[in-house]
Amino acid sequence: MKPFLKWCGSKRQPYIVNKLKPLLGDKFWVEPFVGSGALPLALGVKSGIFTDANPHLIALWEWIQVGGRASLDFPSMNTPRGYAMARQQFNTTTDSNLKSELFYYLNQTCFNGLCRFNSKGLFNVPYGKDRAGNPKKINYLTDFSDYRAVIREWQFYTQDFRETIIAAPKGSIIYCDPPYHGTFANYTGIPFTLEDQLELLALLSAKRGCTIAASNSPVLESYYRESGFRTELLTVSRTVSSEASTRGKTLELFATLNV
């Protein structure tokens, strides 16, 4: 199943699915940076814990899980003015259902599917146009029932990756796909620093009784290897990025532990 969200670095290509499928088995899935949930959707994960520091993202997942259905006319809103009004409404409304619906619309309509908030917690990604400068043709979803059927046993929490990893039950598989070091890593208004990367690595290295898999920037390969991980660099495609120069083929670190 393809994700319903656009997400920078989203994983659904065979190169990563085929790496994780033999590791999964019937293990309980734990993902501290759920994003678009592309991998568990592709793998058909039935149950697990899915967390993120972005409360709007988790709220959208929960909205879909309990039967959320779009009521807004997304196609008619797909104009620069409509987008600006929707972004303003998203940043000011206290209606949780409307906020989730608008978050989905913004994700589909914004520039390159970016998810970015400023230091005040306001979504600030500009409107996305096609190469000719016209509104993009977008197939918006209004009915998420197919996804609701798949994620009915998924547990969602807004929390820091540290809490998620520490609480991961023995025998589970933990997959980590954090903001990559050396790329834009300030999506929530709070930067994800090298210190965060190293703390994440330390927590994963100390987690006994769990299968660990992680994706990250290749510049961190030596850190993972020195922490006992088995590492390899995979050639991957990037189609959604804030910079045209970073789209296309690139290298990505894939690391495993306790396999």
Side-chain angles (χ1 to χ4, degrees):
M1 185 174 242
K2 293 182 178 180
F4 56 86
L5 288 173
K6 297 178 181 178
W7 212 255
C8 290
S10 180
K11 305 292 189 301
R12 68 172 181 268
Q13 298 93 341
Y15 80 89
I16 190 72
V17 172
N18 293 337
K19 289 285 184 184
L20 282 164
K21 189 178 294 184
L23 303 181
L24 176 60
D26 59 355
K27 297 183 182 71
F28 188 77
W29 185 273
V30 178
E31 189 163 357
F33 306 92
V34 63
S36 67
L39 264 179
L41 286 173
L43 289 164
V45 171
K46 304 211 179 286
S47 62
I49 293 173
F50 303 84
T51 72
D52 203 278
N54 182 343
H56 309 297
L57 174 63
I58 295 300
L60 174 59
W61 278 105
E62 293 177 326
W63 177 72
I64 290 172
Q65 192 178 47
V66 299
R69 185 182 178 89
S71 59
L72 298 173
D73 184 2
F74 293 143
S76 71
M77 297 162 59
N78 186 13
T79 65
R81 175 176 170 77
Y83 179 83
M85 293 175 64
R87 188 176 64 180
Q88 174 67 18
Q89 189 175 24
F90 171 81
N91 284 329
T92 56
T93 187
T94 57
D95 183 323
S96 59
N97 290 332
L98 176 60
K99 205 172 190 76
S100 290
E101 194 170 343
L102 287 169
F103 185 65
Y104 168 75
Y105 161 80
L106 292 173
N107 170 265
Q108 298 297 294
T109 317
C110 72
F111 176 71
N112 278 331
L114 287 175
C115 181
R116 185 184 68 198
F117 295 83
N118 63 21
S119 59
K120 295 181 180 179
L122 302 179
F123 189 87
N124 64 358
V125 182
Y127 178 65
K129 301 177 182 179
D130 66 18
R131 293 183 178 180
N134 301 314
K136 295 178 293 183
K137 294 181 180 179
I138 302 171
N139 294 319
Y140 297 100
L141 288 176
T142 56
D143 183 357
F144 297 89
S145 57
D146 287 346
Y147 290 95
R148 184 166 64 254
V150 171
I151 68 172
R152 63 180 181 272
E153 295 182 27
W154 292 17
Q155 302 171 47
F156 296 101
Y157 303 100
T158 301
Q159 65 184 26
D160 183 82
F161 70 87
R162 299 166 183 85
E163 298 176 70
T164 305
I165 294 171
I166 291 171
K170 189 175 182 179
S172 60
I173 180 170
I174 304 173
Y175 174 68
C176 285
D177 185 32
Y180 284 9
H181 183 62
T183 64
F184 180 78
N186 195 15
Y187 300 101
T188 61
I190 302 173
F192 199 84
T193 65
L194 177 59
E195 288 71 25
D196 292 318
Q197 297 280 5
L198 297 180
E199 188 169 359
L200 168 63
L201 179 55
L203 285 169
L204 293 175
S205 301
K207 192 70 181 181
R208 305 302 177 191
C210 293
T211 299
I212 312 292
S215 300
N216 213 313
S217 167
V219 300
L220 295 179
E221 183 182 19
S222 61
Y223 289 99
Y224 277 81
R225 195 185 309 115
E226 290 166 7
S227 297
F229 281 76
R230 179 182 300 168
T231 66
E232 57 183 309
L233 297 181
L234 307 177
T235 301
V236 303
S237 298
R238 285 284 172 265
T239 57
V240 179
S241 173
S242 61
E243 299 292 339
S245 61
T246 62
R247 298 176 207 146
K249 298 294 183 181
T250 187
L251 290 177
E252 179 175 278
L253 171 66
F254 180 71
T256 56
L257 185 69
N258 305 330
V259 173

